[in-house]
Amino acid sequence: MVVERTFLAIKPDGVQRGLVGEIVGRFERKGFKLVALKQLIPSKELAEQHYGVHKERPFFASLVGFITSGPVVAMVWEGDGVIASARRLIGSTKPLEAEPGTIRGDLAINIGRNVIHGSDAPETAIFEIGLWFKPDELNDWIPSDQSWRVE
Ligand code: UDP
Ligand code: MG
């Protein structure tokens, strides 16, 4: 059985503001499984590839500059429906329009400082996981309380 995986990254503002535990905790409490996590300062090449779909947009250069400005916490989370669910938990791109209860709705006000990235579709999840992680950095494991999460 192929279980769905998504790529999430706590951006430099989330790390600098001390929100790593708060954000990781939301996905843990939801019940998704963490299969990879590392902190890194992304290279310009990595950031440009990650945000390649936005390369013609006016905010591209500042977005790449920001995402490479300090440590990012890159993660892979696993579970049925995790890609769409994580996007809902993250909330709208514009934090002022994000619903209260979402990460951006609760923790951010500015579109350029919206604390977290999440893959938006199965193809982008596969692309982004492969871009940020080597295959041997992804851990296959069974949580000891698995039977209490899923039937
Ligand atoms: N962004 C920005 N200005 C804009 C639109 C987007 O700074 O007008 C940044 C913002 O950090 C956003 C990222 O570019 O999270 C990627 O944009 P996208 O539309 O893919 O939003 P997301 O998928 O992160 O919700
Ligand atoms: Mg996006």
Side-chain angles (χ1 to χ4, degrees):
M1 189 176 77
V2 178
V3 183
E4 190 172 311
R5 288 177 169 175
T6 196
F7 172 75
L8 303 180
I10 303 172
K11 298 180 184 182
D13 53 333
V15 176
Q16 299 289 345
R17 291 175 56 203
L19 297 173
V20 173
E22 163 73 33
I23 292 169
V24 171
R26 290 182 179 221
F27 295 99
E28 282 190 318
R29 292 199 300 272
K30 176 71 172 169
F32 291 125
K33 184 166 83 176
L34 181 62
V35 296
L37 180 148
K38 63 183 175 185
Q39 187 192 68
L40 71 160
I41 300 176
S43 66
K44 188 160 181 266
E45 293 68 33
L46 174 58
E48 286 178 346
Q49 286 185 71
H50 175 76
Y51 281 124
V53 292
H54 297 306
K55 65 175 179 295
E56 308 302 337
R57 309 281 289 277
F59 58 83
F60 181 71
S62 67
L63 178 59
V64 169
F66 167 61
I67 213 78
T68 58
S69 67
V72 164
V73 173
M75 302 175 280
V76 179
W77 288 83
E78 182 180 290
D80 283 341
V82 69
I83 298 170
S85 178
R87 291 284 293 192
R88 284 197 296 276
L89 292 170
I90 288 169
S92 300
T93 305
K94 294 179 179 171
L96 290 179
E97 294 176 7
E99 292 294 328
T102 65
I103 292 167
R104 288 168 172 167
D106 288 348
L107 304 174
I109 50 178
N110 189 305
I111 192 169
R113 299 288 183 271
N114 60 10
V115 301
I116 182 168
H117 167 85
S119 305
D120 62 6
E123 316 80 64
T124 46
I126 289 166
F127 169 73
E128 291 169 0
I129 290 168
L131 183 63
W132 289 78
F133 288 94
K134 301 189 200 88
D136 69 1
E137 292 179 306
L138 307 175
N139 301 312
D140 278 317
W141 63 290
I142 299 172
S144 59
D145 63 351
Q146 178 78 4
S147 65
W148 299 98
R149 301 165 186 243
V150 292
E151 269 192 317

